[in-house]
Amino acid sequence: MLSNIELKRHEKRKLLFKKIEDSRALMIQTALREGFTSLNVLKMSQDLDLLLNEFRNN
């Protein structure tokens, strides 16, 4: 059985994973619409990198 701390950590990771999936999908949609080298896509890619780093470090 998970402790409260472990349960909160697990829920946080699930929410973060969902945020990563959503960000990735939006970035791909934007890239298809604006081009893969657009400034919007570059910013989204950098934001996604931050989310992935956070996921990896937690």
Side-chain angles (χ1 to χ4, degrees), residues 18 36 55:
K18 174 73 170 124
F36 284 84
F55 186 82

Side-chain angles (χ1 to χ4, degrees), residues 1-57:
M1 180 171 230
L2 295 175
S3 70
N4 283 343
I5 293 172
E6 291 171 324
L7 189 57
K8 287 179 184 178
R9 182 172 179 250
H10 179 72
E11 289 301 315
K12 181 180 177 183
R13 284 182 62 87
K14 279 178 34 179
L15 290 172
L16 187 54
F17 188 77
K18 174 73 170 124
K19 199 171 182 181
I20 289 168
E21 287 181 322
D22 293 346
S23 294
R24 183 179 289 141
L26 180 60
M27 183 183 70
I28 291 169
Q29 290 174 349
T30 304
L32 292 173
R33 189 177 58 251
E34 297 181 12
F36 284 84
T37 58
S38 79
L39 292 178
N40 285 333
V41 173
L42 177 60
K43 174 68 171 120
M44 290 176 177
S45 176
Q46 291 169 338
D47 292 342
L48 180 58
D49 286 344
L50 293 174
L51 290 172
L52 289 167
N53 288 336
E54 183 180 348
F55 186 82
R56 184 187 65 199
N57 292 326

